Amino acid sequence: MVNKIIIIVCFLFFPFSLCSQQWQSLQSQHFMIHFTQSDKKVALRTIQIAEESYQTITADIGFTVDQRTFIFIFPSRKEFELANKGVQKQIVGQACVGKDNIIVIQSPKSNLNITLEKTIRHELTHIVLGVIFKKGYLPRWLNEGLAMYEAKEWQLVNNMYLGQAYLTDKLLPFSSLTYTFPQDDFQTQLAYAQSFDIVLFMINRYGKEKVIKLIKELSYGTEFDSAFNKSFGMDFGKLETNWYASLKKRFNWISVVTSSYLLWLIFPVLCLVVYMIKRHQVKKKIKEWKEEDNYQLTDY
C-alpha cells in the first residue's frame, strides 16, 4: 500500500494535470471512477468489477467500508509513473487509505499483461484492510497474501519461485516480511509468492473463519503472537513449520529431477508451456477488446 501525499494533492487540486486528455467520471454506490476518453470502456468494466468485488471481499474479510473509494485509470505507463514516484516496474496498481480512499491503476489497454479484475480486487482488498487498520498494524506478508488470495492471483510462476527457494534453502523468514519486502527482484517475487502461499495454506488447512478471527483480533490492537494464539490455538512458529512441511511434500520430487539430466529435457518443455499459456491469454485479451469496440455504450 502507498501513503504518498502527492497522489491525493494532485487529484484534489490538479485533477487534470497528469494527462493530456480530459478526465471523465462514473459513479456507483461505493465508487467514483475517473478516466480519460480512451478508457471509457475500461471504466465501465471497472465500475462493474469494483461493485461485485466489494460484495465478495467485504464478506470474506468480515468488514465493510462506508466511504466511497476513488479509482483513477491512467491511460499510459508514463502517466501512471508520474503519479507514483519510484514505483517498481512490475506494479500496475496502488492503493492509498486516508481521508479519501484512492486506487490508481494503469490501463490494461496500455499493457495486455494487466488483468483488470485481478488488479482491482487486489487493490480493493488493500483498501478494506487499510480502513480496518488505520489505528493498528497488519503484517505486510498477511496484507499482501490476503490481497493476492482475494484477487485469485495463483500462477505457475509462484510455484517456480517457491520450489527454487525451497530446494536452495533460500526461503525468506516471515519475520523479515513484517514491515517491508526486499528490493531485489527475485526476493520481491518470492516474498509475494510466500505470502500468498501461506495465506492459502492457513485457509485450506485451518479454515477461513480463523483468518477472519485473526484480522479482528489484530484490529483490536492485540499483539500479533497473542492474536495468532487466540485465533489458531497455536503460535505462528508452529504454523510456519507446518507450512514448510507442506512445501517438502510438494517439492521434494523435484530434487530427484534436478539432480539428473532429465532437468534439461523438462525445462524446455516447461518454458514452452508457459509461453503457450501467455500467448493464449494475450490472444484472448485482444479478442475481448475487439468485441468491446463493437459494443454500443450507454453513458451514465
Side-chain angles (χ1 to χ4, degrees):
M1 297 178 67
V2 294
N3 57 357
K4 298 179 180 177
I5 303 301
I6 184 173
I7 294 176
I8 300 175
V9 172
C10 283
F11 288 146
L12 292 184
F13 298 101
F14 306 103
F16 308 128
S17 62
L18 292 175
C19 289
S20 57
Q21 304 178 57
Q22 186 176 5
W23 287 86
Q24 302 176 37
S25 302
L26 291 174
Q27 184 173 325
S28 64
Q29 182 180 357
H30 299 103
F31 299 93
M32 175 74 78
I33 315 296
H34 296 287
F35 58 96
T36 57
Q37 178 61 33
S38 61
D39 282 315
K40 191 169 187 178
K41 295 175 184 135
V42 175
L44 289 168
R45 291 175 62 210
T46 296
I47 206 162
Q48 179 182 4
I49 292 170
E51 283 294 347
E52 291 173 353
S53 299
Y54 175 88
Q55 300 302 326
T56 57
I57 291 170
T58 54
D60 277 352
I61 295 177
F63 291 84
T64 59
V65 177
D66 295 329
Q67 64 199 104
R68 182 172 279 111
T69 297
F70 298 88
I71 301 178
F72 292 83
I73 305 170
F74 286 90
S76 72
R77 182 67 191 180
K78 179 181 179 181
E79 287 159 326
F80 177 77
E81 290 180 349
L82 282 173
N84 299 271
K85 299 295 184 182
V87 66
Q88 292 176 295
K89 61 183 179 180
Q90 71 268 26
I91 301 297
V92 296
Q94 297 208 70
C96 179
V97 175
K99 182 179 179 181
D100 295 292
N101 297 327
I102 296 173
I103 293 174
V104 293
I105 64 173
Q106 180 183 343
S107 171
K109 296 189 75 172
S110 66
N111 184 343
L112 291 176
N113 289 320
I114 297 173
T115 304
L116 186 61
E117 182 172 3
K118 289 182 179 180
T119 302
I120 292 170
R121 290 185 64 87
H122 185 111
E123 301 307 331
L124 182 55
T125 303
H126 283 320
I127 291 292
V128 175
L129 293 172
V131 170
I132 298 170
F133 288 94
K134 276 186 177 179
K135 296 182 179 180
Y137 189 78
L138 189 67
R140 176 75 185 272
W141 64 263
L142 183 54
N143 197 328
E144 293 295 347
L146 286 167
M148 294 179 74
Y149 173 80
E150 290 296 337
K152 299 178 175 63
E153 290 185 84
W154 182 93
Q155 299 180 58
L156 178 61
V157 70
N158 292 342
N159 272 354
M160 293 174 66
Y161 280 112
L162 283 173
Q164 182 179 344
Y166 171 79
L167 292 171
T168 56
D169 197 28
K170 292 183 178 179
L171 288 170
L172 303 170
F174 284 94
S175 58
S176 71
L177 305 177
T178 300
Y179 300 104
T180 60
F181 277 7
Q183 294 300 309
D184 174 78
D185 283 346
F186 175 81
Q187 288 196 327
T188 297
Q189 295 298 330
L190 177 60
Y192 279 101
Q194 285 188 211
S195 299
F196 174 74
D197 202 78
I198 199 167
V199 167
L200 189 63
F201 175 78
M202 290 161 63
I203 291 172
N204 289 342
R205 176 72 68 88
Y206 303 100
K208 189 181 295 184
E209 298 77 13
K210 284 185 169 56
V211 176
I212 294 175
K213 185 176 180 180
L214 173 62
I215 294 171
K216 288 182 177 179
E217 286 292 337
L218 291 172
S219 73
Y220 300 149
T222 308
E223 189 266 339
F224 180 81
D225 289 339
S226 177
F228 200 90
N229 262 303
K230 287 182 179 180
S231 304
F232 284 83
M234 68 178 84
D235 60 40
F236 180 71
K238 174 64 175 176
L239 183 133
E240 194 171 1
T241 299
N242 293 344
W243 172 75
Y244 188 86
S246 76
L247 296 184
K248 184 176 181 179
K249 292 179 181 178
R250 287 158 56 187
F251 297 120
N252 241 8
W253 66 272
I254 300 179
S255 61
V256 177
V257 176
T258 54
S259 64
S260 72
Y261 73 93
L262 288 178
L263 174 64
W264 302 105
L265 297 177
I266 293 175
F267 185 72
V269 174
L270 288 175
C271 290
L272 179 61
V273 170
V274 173
Y275 168 77
M276 294 301 292
I277 291 173
K278 296 297 292 183
R279 185 181 178 186
H280 173 73
Q281 290 174 339
V282 170
K283 285 185 175 181
K284 183 179 178 182
K285 187 75 65 81
I286 292 173
K287 182 180 178 182
E288 289 175 356
W289 288 123
K290 287 181 178 179
E291 289 174 350
E292 288 179 355
D293 285 339
N294 295 325
Y295 179 69
Q296 186 65 38
L297 291 173
T298 302
D299 290 337
Y300 285 143

